[in-house]
Every structure is written in structure tokens, then in C-alpha cells.
Amino acid sequence: GWDKHSYGYHGDDGHSFCSSGTGQPYGPTFTTGDVIGCCVNLINNTCFYTKNGHSLGEKRRVFLFLPSQSNLYPTVGLQTPGEIVDANFGQQPFVFDIEDYMREWRAKIQSTIKRFPIGDRLGEWQAMLQNMVSSYLVHHGYCSTATAFARVTDTTIQEEQTSIKNRQRIQKLVLAGRVGEAIEATQQLYPGLLEHNPNLLFMLKCRQFVEMVNGTDSEVRCFSARSPRSQDSYPGSPSLSPRHGSSNSHVHSTGADSPTCSNGVMSTKSKQSHSKYPTLSSSSSSSSSSSPSSVNYSESNSTDSTKSQQHSSTSNQETSDSEMEMEAEHYPNGVLENSSTRIMNGTYKHEEILQTDESSMEDSCPQRQLCGGNHAATERMIQFGRELQMLSEQLCREYGKNTVHKKMLQDAFSLLAYSDPWNCPVGQQLDPIQREPVCAALNSAILESQNLPKQPPLMLALGQASECLRLMARVGLGSCSFARVDDYLH
Amino acid sequence: VFCFPLKGPDHQTLLFNYGAVQNIAHLLVSTSYKVRMQALKCFSVLAFENPQVSMTLVNVSVDGELLPQIFVKMLQRDKPIEMQLTAAKCLTSMCRAGAIRTDDSCIVLKTLPCLVRMCSKEKLLEERVEGAETLAYLIETDVELQRIASITDHLIVMLADYFKYPSSVSAITDIKRLDHDLKHAHELRQAAFKLYASLGANDEDIRKKIIETENMMDRIVNGLSESSIKVRLAAVRCLHSLSRSVQQLRTSFQDHAVWKPLMKVLQNAPNEILVVASSTLCNLLLEFSPSKEPILESGAIELLCSLTQSENLALRVNGIWALMNMAFQAEQKIKSDILRGLSTEQLFQLLSDSDVNVLMKTLGLLRNLLSTRPHIDHIMSTHGKQIMQAVTLILEGEHNIEVKEQTLCILANIADGTTAKELIMTNDDILQKIKYYMSHSNAKLQLAAMFCISNLIWNEEEGSQERQDKLRDMGIVDILHKLSQSSDPNLCDK
């Protein structure tokens, strides 16, 4: 307490010293056996000492510099030889009821937050809150909810319904792990978007690869009485989506109208990444035959259609399913919600056709297998991987080195090194929750391309609040320790 | 949910007997705050100054948790103030009733600090009042609690703010609140006095701290003259606690002439105030109190004499005690005044008082009156007959050792007087009594008796030879010889 920037409470006279040789009467003297404590409050920049659990009184305006902005070191001074001190920093419970003290401050901070004045702009406040909710719903594609909300609150939504629904569909595809389909849909509905966003495309394709690895378990399960586990272990549909693509074209040929013809999509796709590849199939969900045999692009269409026709003929149900599915995809009108299940069913059936390997139909086996254990699927997946690699190299040439891409690729490929990718060190990639950032990125890109805000205000507000708290912590403003964004989220 | 005003022990017992306790206890954990609060209030009223209820409450439990623990939880700082205060009151009542020990951590580390926090400037007026009053009640009889409270959060300084209310820095933002507080500011003052009184009841250091607080004596003096009787009483209590300090009596009390307003308070005061005030006066009249002279001039003697006639025992004790203090090493005039004011009838009345304290103090008074030779002679010359009668009465009556001892000391004092001696020497009855006590089984009495003899036969005085002869004739010498061989060293020396 005598030295500058030091603060002390002396046991011989009970005086408090703040960077001065002259002390002020503060509390009682203390001696052997007493438990002396010190509490520094970084919120209001005060400190107080305690004796045997009793607070001796807060001291304000004690510190020359704010303790939040400089380092303070606890110190104990001893005078007599042989003196012993026991220091407690919380490893033992404190004698002073510090928990209660914290409760008080937590309550104060939360009260400040709760009671923060809005001021005169009450009317505006209401409208703003509504906008927050509405924009959030729209952003995430909750079309019907957003519409209902708009109706009830008598507000309007800026974006067109069809647009919202399109985005919703794409988001759902990504979240279901059907990235290939999502890519295809994106190219269909928002041509050029992915071309202008090579990083985004790369991320999507990496994700697609991971989903391929995720395998065919659910595909297997769809045959058991049990309902498919979830949408997560979705069969590597992209690789098998020639059904899709072909179905697309199939429908096309039957004259169903589609805003963007899959042909067109296909062609774009091929132009973009696959012109270099000797191997036929674009990795996208659009045209690619499952067989590794190289097929000329121009032929692939017809080939595919042929195939599809072949296949569709083998199973009426399948066709009808696929038809239904197509309808669902191309006639977005509220059917979408239901269609997702149907899509799944339909695709399952597709995969079934492909499988020659009965063994993979065993659903009693608890262990998931790469690509569902389907040989053809695995081959397709590996091929896709190669394509992905080459894409990466191409991007490297065009745009320079990208460590992020490299890591993504490395992580994705690492999955192949383990017999049980789900439980390997990089296995968390396979967690469906990893689809969310990809989905969000794609969604934002779509919005941006439509000149719509790519982040809803609610997310911005949350982000700002979180960042604010982080900043406060760095700078040493104590109140942030009692405020958490999570407290206000459900 | 019920909401009834419980007043007094009768209602308390009534409800208690109906087994309401357990039912109300369950309401303490209700999901509704209002219900919890009502139940808590109910307990606070039930337990107040009711040891029986308090003792029972301590063992009641709800969902495996004892009531005291539930109350402690309600003391937490993030609970509404109302809840904290009421829970503290419950625990205080239980502690004062003896159901919870004063060194229990729930009192020392939870209840006490909570109540101290209630006294903070930021709290509302009624919260500060109730907090201070409850705390005063809690620590009233325990010096350790008083010490802890005195070092917590600078309480003594914090209370000084009670006298500054409402100040310019008060956090009052609406007129209604300001108006209310102005009307009730005196409540703050009386609460502060009460708490100071409790704080300073036993510890000298605490008293010092209190008196050294800015303007404390002035505030007390002002408080003694306030119109509100509540404030006056609280101020007297505060003064009383502080008057137990010898040092303060000599210094601060003198500087501030507290005796004047105190004397005023004593005029026509209700008994409650009288008891405390007269007690304070007692302290002020101790020998080393410089206040003594002025007090006498303001008619203290008459007042005190009238107190000795009160039906209220405490008042009688205080009255006679104060007179006794007053007489100690006092001037002749004062002694005469006292005797005159008291009148011999009153004196005899007091000597036959049923309460031994009164008796002892009366004897003490007599002893003080009969000190220094000229005084002794003077007094005995005017009141000798009555006094001897009184002495005889006591010695013949059934009394404990202390009383008899005092009486013998009085005799010894009388024996010291030049002319007064004769009153003893010519009184054979008394002489026989003295002789009797010299051989009494109790050493104290023997000593006292020997004092008498010693004074009577003192060689340096005129006529000592005759007296010695007479006593020898009585056989005193033989007894003396016997005693000189006694095993008790005191007796031996004598």
C-alpha cells in the first residue's frame, strides 16, 4: 500500500493504504488466526477487504488506474520471521459469501439490460421487432410461418413467395445431406451464382463428398420396418442422381414445364468443371451416369434418358415416385413440405435398384459402412473425390493457393483412411450439424445475388451482441461476465 | 391466500395451537411469489417475541429442508428486498428467542450482513428503518455480534447518513416519494439512535467510534428535545449506552452539556423513558463526572427523591442509586439537601423495601452520607437518633450478609465521627450487637465489626482511654485475643 500502484490493508493498525505512506482508518486490526480477504470489483472499480467473512466496507475511487486495464497481483506482506500464511484463491470455499455478492451483481446487470430505456420511439420499436422476426423467418425460408406472421402483424414481406420457397427447398436439401441435389437446384434456379462463387462451390462439393462417405446406411434401413434413422446418412445420392438428372430429362421429355431445364443445368455444369475431365460424369447431381464408363457428354443426355427410361420401366412405382418428386420440385407450392419425405422415399427406391449387393441390406449390423457398403457407390465416391481434387488444383491455378481449401480437402479425404470414419479423429465432419454452415453460406449467397440482405437483422444483432461482450472482456469491463447472449435465447 | 393481522402473543398462540405452522411452511416453497411472501410474513409475526413458536419453528422442515435454511435462502441478494428483510426478521426472532445460537453462521454470516446492507443509502427509507431496528434488536444482548456489526461495511458511518436525510444527493425522483420521506425522516433518526444504543451497549471501542462520528453529541442533544416521543426515547437509550463509558463522561458529555436536555426529558416523562433516563442520570452522577454540579442546580435532587417513591421498581432503584452516587464525596450542602429531600420517613420506607437492591442502595447512600468526620458529626447531630434506630432495625432483622455488612460499615463510619462516637458508646444495645458480630461465623461481618471497634478505640483521639476501658469491661479484649489466633489472615492482622 505504500508504493505507487499498490493498495493494502494493514493488520497492525487496521488502516488502508492506497499508494501512499499515509493510511486512512479502515477496519479492525488483525492477527494470527484471522482470515483476511480482498475483493476487487471490475464493474464499478471498487475493492473491499474482509475479516473472517465480514465485509469491512467498499472503497471507491481507490485505484489510480482502472484495475480492468492493468494487471493487479495479489500480495501479502509479512513482518515476523517464521510467519506462515495460507493463501486461498478459491480452491477452498471462501469464508466471505462471494457467491451472494456475485448474485447481487448478476441481478444488477441483468436488471440494467432488462430495463434499458427504449425511449419515445415505442411505436417504432414495435415495428422494428416485427421486422426482426419477419426477416428472420424469411431468411431461413420458413415460408408459411413468415406469411402467417405477416398477415397477423399486418406487415409485408419484401421477397417473393416463390423465391422464399426456392431457398427453403435448397436449404432443406443441404440440411438433408443431399448436397448434389442442392447444387443442381441452385444452378437451376440461380444460374451463374455458383460460377461467380468458386469458393462456395468448392465448399459445397467438399460437403457433398463427405455426405457420400456418410454412406448408405439409411438407404439400407429404409427396407426394414424401421423408418429411416434420419436424413443424415443419406445415400450418396448425388452420385446416383443420374436418376434425378435423368428423371429430370425424362420428365422434360414428357413435356413438363420447368423454369430452368435440367439440360441447361447440365450443360452449364459440364462447362464449368468437367470439360477437362476425361471421365464422363460431372460430380453434380445433374447428369452423370453411375457407371464409370466414359460417355460422351452429348450422349449422356440421351444415354441417361435411356437409362432412366429403362429403369423407370422396371419399376412403375419408382417412376411414379420420381414423377411425383419431380412435380414436387418443379411446382413449388406448399407441397414442398410433404415432398421432402417423398423425395427421400423416391430416392431410396432408386438406390435399391442400383444395389446388387444384398449384404448391404443387412440392417441388423449396427456399424455404418462407407457409402453403405455398396461397391458401385464407393467407386463413384472415389471418382468424385478425384474430380474434387482436380477442381482444387484448377482453382489454385486460377486464384492462387488457398490453405482453407487445402484443409477442407485434406479433412474430407482423411475420412477414407479409417475403417470407421464416424469414430475417427476427423469424424465430426460427418455430423449432420456440419451441414449448417454450408447451408447458411449458400443461402446468404443466394440472397446476395438477388440483392436481398444476406444476413437477417436478428443474426446481425446477435452477432454484434456477442462480439461486444468479447470486446468488453478483452478490454476488462467487468459487467460482461454477468451478461450472456445465451441467457436470452431459447 | 390469507392475510390477517396478528397482534400479540394471544393470537400467536391461538394460531399456533391450531397446527397452522406446518401448513404455512409448505406455502414457503410455492411457485407463486405472492404466496411465499405471505407465508414468510406470517412466520415473521408468529415468531416475534414468542420463544415457544420460535423453538418449534427451528425444527420444522419442508421437503427435507429445515425452516432456518429456507429463510437463509431468502436472504440472498438477488431476492426482492421485502423478502430479504422479512426472512431476516424471522431469523432474528428465532435467535433472540434462543432457538438459534448467536454464533451460528446463519446469523453471523448471513442474517447480520444482510441487515447491515439494508442500512445502505441506496435503500428506501422504510427499508433502512426496518433494517436498523431489526439489527438493533438482533445484537442487543450479544457483545460479539455488536463487535461484528460495528466493523461491517462501515456501519457506524453509514448510520450517520440517517441524520442527513433527505439530502441533496438522495436518489429521489418523484415528488410523492420526497413528500413521504420528509414526513418520515424522524423514523430514520430514531432507528439510528436505537442501533447506536445496541452497538455501544458493551464495548468501549465501539462507543468511542460512535461518539467520534461527526456531530454525534449534537445529534443526541437534538434528539432529546425532539417532538416525537419515539425519537426522544431512542435518543435517551443511545445516550445511556454511551454513558457507560468513563472516558466519555469526562470529556464529550461535559463538552456538550447533555444533562440539560436530559433533565428536561425527565420531567413528566412516561415510565419507559424515565427508567432509561434515570439510569443515564445515574451514570452521569458518578464521582468523576464533571456534569454533577450543574445537574444539581436544576433540581435533580427533588426529582430523584420523587423517583424513590415510585411504584415502578426500576425507577425506585435508579432513584436511590443516583442519590447514592450523588452523595459520594459530595459537599455538606448536597448531603443535607439529600437528607432533607428524602425525609426520614422515606428513608425508613426505603430501608424496609421488599427489594434488596433498593435496600442496598439506601444503605450505600447512608454510608456515603456518613463520610468525612465533620459530615458525620453534623449529620448525626441532626439525624442521629433516626439513623441509629434504622441501624438497629436492620441488624435485628432478617437480612443477607451483604446487607448486614453494609450496616456495620455504616456503624464504623459513625464510630469515626468525633462526637458521633458517643452515640454508639452510649448505646449498649448496639455495643452488644457489635460484640456479637465479632464472633460471627462469617468473616466479612467479623471484619466489619472490628472496624467499628478499631474506630472506637483509636488512641489518638480524645477519650479513647475511657472507651477502651469500657470495651474491655465488655469482654471485647478477650475476643480480640481469640481472633488474633484465628486462621484467617485478615482477621489476624486486624
Side-chain angles (χ1 to χ4, degrees), chain A residues 120-165:
Chain A
D120 306 325
R121 305 171 294 131
L122 190 58
E124 287 178 31
W125 184 248
Q126 178 83 337
M128 187 186 44
L129 287 176
Q130 283 168 357
N131 181 27
M132 285 264 212
V133 174
S134 172
S135 56
Y136 180 83
L137 291 169
V138 166
H139 177 93
H140 287 285
Y142 299 116
C143 187
S144 35
T145 316
T147 324
F149 185 76
R151 201 178 338 117
V152 167
T153 56
D154 203 24
T155 53
T156 52
I157 302 175
Q158 195 188 3
E159 196 182 350
E160 266 191 18
Q161 270 232 346
T162 49
S163 172
I164 302 176
K165 286 188 176 161

Side-chain angles (χ1 to χ4, degrees), chain A residues 50 99 153 250 326 394 398 417 451 464:
Chain A
T50 65
E99 298 290 338
T153 56
H250 160 76
M326 291 297 72
Q394 181 203 349
E398 278 183 55
N451 286 323
Q464 196 263 0

Side-chain angles (χ1 to χ4, degrees), chain B residues 116-277:
Chain B
V116 171
R117 283 196 300 276
M118 292 300 145
C119 302
S120 145
K121 247 201 289 216
E122 283 96 38
K123 298 285 190 292
L124 297 175
L125 184 143
E126 44 280 12
E127 291 162 357
R128 293 165 81 188
V129 169
E130 203 168 352
E133 284 182 337
T134 312
L135 183 57
Y137 183 52
L138 176 67
I139 68 176
E140 195 175 3
T141 53
D142 188 289
V143 67
E144 207 38 57
L145 289 180
Q146 288 157 15
R147 288 194 183 117
I148 293 173
S150 71
I151 62 167
T152 305
D153 287 338
H154 298 142
L155 177 63
I156 293 178
V157 171
M158 198 162 36
L159 281 178
D161 263 347
Y162 278 44
F163 297 98
K164 299 184 194 164
Y165 193 91
S167 69
S168 55
V169 299
S170 297
I172 304 177
T173 47
D174 68 286
I175 285 295
K176 240 179 156 184
R177 168 47 64 167
L178 183 63
D179 189 49
H180 168 269
D181 286 358
L182 282 170
K183 286 209 185 82
H184 295 270
H186 67 279
E187 299 273 0
L188 273 177
R189 293 196 290 276
Q190 67 91 25
F193 280 135
K194 267 192 193 150
L195 185 47
Y196 276 137
S198 284
L199 280 167
N202 301 96
D203 187 294
E204 180 66 23
D205 289 329
I206 298 179
R207 278 183 217 129
K208 194 154 178 288
K209 262 163 95 175
I210 294 175
I211 293 199
E212 283 170 4
T213 310
E214 46 173 325
N215 301 328
M216 182 50 56
M217 289 310 291
D218 285 332
R219 296 207 168 113
I220 295 179
V221 168
N222 289 337
L224 290 171
S225 332
E226 267 203 40
S227 52
S228 157
I229 203 169
K230 247 180 135 183
V231 178
R232 286 208 302 276
L233 179 55
V236 171
R237 283 197 204 283
C238 181
L239 188 66
H240 181 230
S241 280
L242 297 176
S243 72
R244 290 181 179 161
S245 161
V246 170
Q247 195 195 1
Q248 298 312 328
L249 288 175
R250 285 185 186 167
T251 54
S252 322
F253 278 50
Q254 175 62 6
D255 294 339
H256 286 81
V258 288
W259 54 268
K260 246 200 207 147
L262 183 63
M263 290 307 293
K264 263 190 105 187
V265 166
L266 284 164
Q267 320 279 1
N268 304 317
N271 274 5
E272 206 187 350
I273 295 190
L274 264 184
V275 173
V276 186

Side-chain angles (χ1 to χ4, degrees), chain A residues 25-28 48 51-60 95-97 100-104 107, chain B residues 73 75-79 84 108-110 112-114 117 122-123 148-149 151-155 209:
Chain A
Y26 173 71
F48 63 89
K51 179 180 177 186
N52 298 326
H54 309 292
S55 157
L56 301 174
E58 260 189 7
K59 291 191 70 70
R60 295 192 158 78
V95 182
F96 174 72
D97 195 351
D100 203 30
Y101 186 70
M102 292 201 295
R103 257 181 234 122
E104 180 182 3
Chain B
K73 277 211 194 126
L75 292 176
Q76 285 172 3
R77 299 191 205 203
D78 54 358
K79 299 284 187 291
Q84 291 183 47
V108 173
L109 290 176
K110 303 277 185 193
L112 191 150
C114 173
R117 283 196 300 276
E122 283 96 38
K123 298 285 190 292
I148 293 173
I151 62 167
T152 305
D153 287 338
H154 298 142
L155 177 63
K209 262 163 95 175

Side-chain angles (χ1 to χ4, degrees), chain A residues 2 46 54 57 84 104 113 122 214 303-304 375 405-406 408 419 480:
Chain A
W2 287 342
T46 61
H54 309 292
I84 302 175
E104 180 182 3
I113 295 174
L122 190 58
N214 207 359
T303 323
D304 286 349
H375 179 68
H405 286 186
K406 209 164 162 215
M408 267 200 268
S419 55
C480 68

